[in-house]
Amino acid sequence: MSGNEKILGDDRHQFIVSTLKNSDLPISGRELGLLTNVSRQIIVGDITLLKAKGEPIMATSRGYLYMHPFKEPNRIEKIIVCKHSPEQTEEELMMLVDYGITVKDVKVEHPVYGDLTASVMVSNRSEVVDFIKNIHQTNATFLLELTDGIHSHTIIADSEQQIESAEKALRDAKILIE
């Protein structure tokens, strides 16, 4: 692409899919906008259209990820239920990632809307810090604030031992609900 030339329509959609497929890290809407010389709002619309066409794109707090159709071998997924204040969110996430856990999402049960799920996708301390900073910078609220602190996480680990150790730490901190 040369200069300030915009990538238009279907070409931009193909470019977005290709760029996301070839990245192991999330790419922000702003960054995709800069790469294609369109606004972030145009990218948000493009992502919505691509999702409607079946592209497995996930929006995270750090940007967009292409969800490749294969599952990582030998990884274990488990859902845990927790309760804590918004101020304890960083502590909770740090405990989990310190045991090698990836926190995939957060889910709450809303009395009107039912299950609300949001991507978290943090697997190390740096990603947790970025996630918390993003919440504060955008003045967003934590989903757990809709439910008096009760929420669940889908967590991913390489071993049952990692999950058991993380659960023990959360239990000791009086965060895990069993």
Side-chain angles (χ1 to χ4, degrees), residues 7-23 25 27-29 31-51 55 57-58 64-66:
I7 299 178
L8 302 174
D10 288 337
D11 290 338
R12 187 175 61 247
H13 296 166
Q14 289 174 0
F15 177 84
I16 290 169
V17 169
S18 175
T19 301
L20 293 175
K21 277 183 176 180
N22 292 313
S23 177
L25 299 172
I27 303 175
S28 71
E31 186 177 345
L32 288 168
L34 290 172
L35 291 170
T36 58
N37 286 317
V38 299
S39 70
R40 184 190 66 79
Q41 291 86 353
I42 297 290
I43 296 298
V44 170
D46 289 346
I47 296 292
T48 301
L49 287 171
L50 290 167
K51 285 180 177 183
E55 291 292 349
I57 298 171
M58 180 174 61
Y64 297 106
L65 280 172
Y66 192 89

Side-chain angles (χ1 to χ4, degrees), residues 7 11 13 23-24 27 35-36 57 60 64 68 71 77 83 90 92 108 115 135-136 140 143 148 153-154 159 171:
I7 299 178
D11 290 338
H13 296 166
S23 177
D24 293 328
I27 303 175
L35 291 170
T36 58
I57 298 171
T60 74
Y64 297 106
H68 297 279
K71 184 180 178 192
E77 279 195 15
K83 180 178 182 180
E90 185 171 5
E92 172 204 45
V108 297
D115 287 343
I135 292 284
H136 292 304
L143 283 185
D148 295 327
H153 292 291
T154 305
S159 72
R171 191 177 301 112

